[in-house]
C-alpha cells in the first residue's frame, strides 16, 4: 500500500482501516499479503487515535506487564541469592515472559481482551459486537479458557507427531522437522489471534467442516495401507481443535492475507513500546480482516464501515454474516 493511502486512512477517523480497497479477485498473492499487513498498520494507528479503544487495551496490557515484572524480579532475585550472577537479568526475563504470554490464549484476562474486541468493532464503525458468554461467572469462564489452552498446547506440541515420526526416519530431515514444528506453532498463534474477533461477531458462529490439516492426514491414510494411522491422527486432531474450526477455516480461505497479517503483527511485537500492544493490535486488525473478507460489514451495515471493499471473498460460507458480492477477492 502507498504512503499516501496510509495517510488518507489515518485521517479518515473510525473508518480508517476500511480506506484501502480489498485486492481484486485476480490480485497476486504478494499483493494480498501486503494489503493484510497494511490493515495491521492501520489497526495500530486506530489504537493510538481512539481513546476508548486505547483505554480498553491498557487494562489487560498493564496487568500482563505487571505479572511479568513480578515474575522477572522474583526469578532474578532467586538467581542472585543462589549466586548465579551469569543468569539472565530481570529485563531479559520480563521480555521473554511478556512475549510468551502475548502469544498464548488470554485465559485469566479473557474478559478484558474480549472488551478490546468489542471496542475494536465500535472503533471500526461495525455493528455492535456481543459477548457469547455473557452472564457466565469469572471462575467458570477462566476454567473454560484453561481447558481450551491445554487443548491447544497438546495440539501445538503433538499435533504433527505422526508426520514428525515419519520424517525423523528419513536421512537429513532434522532441519525440515524443526522448520515444520516452528511453522505449526506460529500458525496456532495466528489462529488464536482471530478467536476473540470472531467470538465478538453478533449472531451464531459460522459452521465449518473438517479442518485442512485433518483432511491432509486423511488423504495420506488413504494413499497406502501402512499409513492408515494418519487417518486416526487426523480424526483426533480434528476433535481437539473443534473450538477453533471457524478460525482455522478463515486461515484456509485467506492464506496469504493471514500470512501478511502474521508477519506484520510479529513485526509490531519487535518494536520497543509498540510490542506491549501486540495482542491489541492483532485483535483490531483481525476484526477488520474478518469484516472485510468474510462480509461482516457488508451484511450488517457496510455503509457504517466506510463502504469500501467490505465484500466477502468468492465462496464465502453461507452463514448469517456472509453475503456474496462481485467485488470480492479470491484465495
Amino acid at each position: 500500500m502507498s504512503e499516501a493511502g496510509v495517510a488518507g486512512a489515518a485521517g479518515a477517523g473510525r473508518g480508517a482501516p476500511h480506506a484501502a480497497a480489498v485486492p481484486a479477485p485476480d490480485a497476486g498473492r504478494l499483493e494480498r499479503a501486503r494489503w493484510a499487513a497494511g490493515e495491521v498498520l492501520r489497526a495500530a494507528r486506530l489504537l493510538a487515535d481512539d481513546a476508548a479503544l486505547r483505554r480498553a487495551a491498557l487494562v489487560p496490557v498493564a496487568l500482563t506487564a505487571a505479572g511479568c515484572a513480578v515474575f522477572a524480579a522474583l526469578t532474578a532475585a532467586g538467581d542472585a541469592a543462589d549466586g548465579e550472577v551469569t543468569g539472565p537479568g530481570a529485563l531479559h526475563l520480563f521480555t521473554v515472559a511478556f512475549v510468551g504470554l502475548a502469544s498464548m490464549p488470554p485465559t485469566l484476562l479473557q474478559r478484558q481482551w474480549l472488551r478490546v474486541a468489542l471496542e475494536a468493532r465500535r472503533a471500526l464503525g461495525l455493528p455492535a459486537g456481543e459477548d457469547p458468554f455473557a452472564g457466565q461467572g469469572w471462575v467458570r469462564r477462566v476454567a473454560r479458557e484453561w481447558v481450551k489452552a491445554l487443548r491447544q498446547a497438546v495440539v501445538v506440541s503433538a499435533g504433527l507427531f505422526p508426520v514428525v515420526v515419519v520424517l525423523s526416519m528419513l536421512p537429513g530431515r532434522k532441519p525440515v522437522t524443526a522448520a515444520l514444528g516452528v511453522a505449526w506453532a506460529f500458525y496456532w498463534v495466528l489462529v488464536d489471534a482471530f478467536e476473540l474477533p470472531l467470538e465478538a461477531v453478533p449472531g451464531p458462529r459460522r459452521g465449518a467442516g473438517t479442518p485442512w490439516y485433518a483432511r491432509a492426514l486423511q488423504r495420506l491414510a488413504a494413499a497406502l495401507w501402512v499409513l492408515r494411522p494418519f487417518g486416526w491422527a487426523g480424526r483426533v486432531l480434528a476433535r481437539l481443535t473443534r473450538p477453533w474450526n471457524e478460525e482455522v477455516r478463515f486461515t484456509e480461505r485467506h492464506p496469504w492475507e493471514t500470512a501478511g497479517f502474521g508477519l506484520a503483527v510479529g513485526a509490531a511485537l519487535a518494536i520497543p513500546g509498540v510490542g506491549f500492544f501486540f495482542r491489541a493490535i492483532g485483535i483490531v486488525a483481525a476484526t477488520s480482516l474478518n469484516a472485510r473478507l468474510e462480509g461482516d460489514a457488508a451484511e450488517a451495515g457496510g455503509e457504517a464501515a466506510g463502504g469500501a471493499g467490505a465484500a466477502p471473498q468468492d465462496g464465502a460460507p453461507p452463514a448469517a454474516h456472509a453475503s456474496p458480492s462481485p467485488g470480492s477477492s479470491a484465495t
Side-chain angles (χ1 to χ4, degrees):
M1 178 184 177
S2 68
E3 287 300 321
V6 171
R14 290 184 179 180
H18 295 273
V22 176
D26 58 349
R29 297 169 178 176
L30 186 58
E31 181 180 349
R32 297 204 296 270
R34 281 201 307 263
W35 172 80
E39 291 295 294
V40 175
L41 174 60
R42 287 187 291 275
R45 293 193 173 193
L46 183 59
L47 184 65
D49 293 339
D50 191 286
L53 177 60
R54 190 169 60 252
R55 284 195 300 269
L58 277 172
V59 174
V61 167
L63 290 173
T64 301
C68 292
V70 171
F71 165 78
L74 292 177
T75 303
D79 290 344
D82 293 338
E84 297 181 12
V85 294
T86 59
L91 180 60
H92 176 78
L93 290 169
F94 170 83
T95 303
V96 171
F98 190 90
V99 171
L101 286 178
S103 303
M104 293 172 61
T107 54
L108 293 175
L109 301 179
Q110 193 268 355
R111 191 190 299 271
Q112 286 74 26
W113 285 116
L114 181 60
R115 183 187 169 204
V116 176
L118 296 174
E119 284 293 335
R121 294 185 61 82
R122 176 202 57 76
L124 289 165
L126 298 171
E130 64 181 23
D131 181 354
F133 308 106
Q136 191 174 90
W138 183 81
V139 174
R140 186 178 177 186
R141 185 185 291 241
V142 169
R144 185 197 69 246
E145 291 301 313
W146 270 109
V147 170
K148 288 173 64 177
L150 290 173
R151 291 175 71 158
Q152 192 176 94
V154 172
V155 168
V156 172
S157 61
L160 295 182
F161 181 72
V163 178
V164 171
V165 169
V166 172
L167 287 177
S168 64
M169 293 187 294
L170 301 176
R173 287 294 184 268
K174 286 187 177 180
V176 176
T177 303
L180 185 64
V182 170
W184 181 247
F186 180 68
Y187 173 73
W188 279 97
V189 171
L190 298 184
V191 170
D192 182 63
F194 283 96
E195 181 176 0
L196 290 175
L198 292 183
E199 285 185 345
V201 174
R205 298 289 301 266
R206 303 184 183 106
T210 305
W212 63 267
Y213 39 81
R215 297 199 309 270
L217 290 174
Q218 289 166 2
R219 283 196 294 269
L220 277 175
L224 198 62
W225 71 269
V226 294
L227 299 178
R228 285 179 184 173
F230 281 93
W232 175 82
R235 289 190 293 272
V236 171
L237 195 55
R239 182 171 299 179
L240 282 173
T241 60
R242 190 172 296 165
W244 300 277
N245 270 3
E246 188 177 350
E247 291 82 353
V248 169
R249 177 61 174 161
F250 181 93
T251 66
E252 182 182 0
R253 291 177 57 76
H254 313 291
W256 292 99
E257 290 85 350
T258 300
F261 163 82
L263 291 175
V265 172
L269 178 60
I271 300 175
V274 177
F276 283 107
F277 296 91
F278 159 80
R279 187 186 292 272
I281 292 171
I283 287 174
V284 178
T287 300
S288 178
L289 287 176
N290 178 66
R292 305 198 64 194
L293 294 173
E294 293 292 323
D296 183 328
E299 190 267 341
E303 64 279 359
Q313 292 194 345
D314 295 337
H321 311 306
S323 57
S325 172
S328 61
S329 64
T331 298

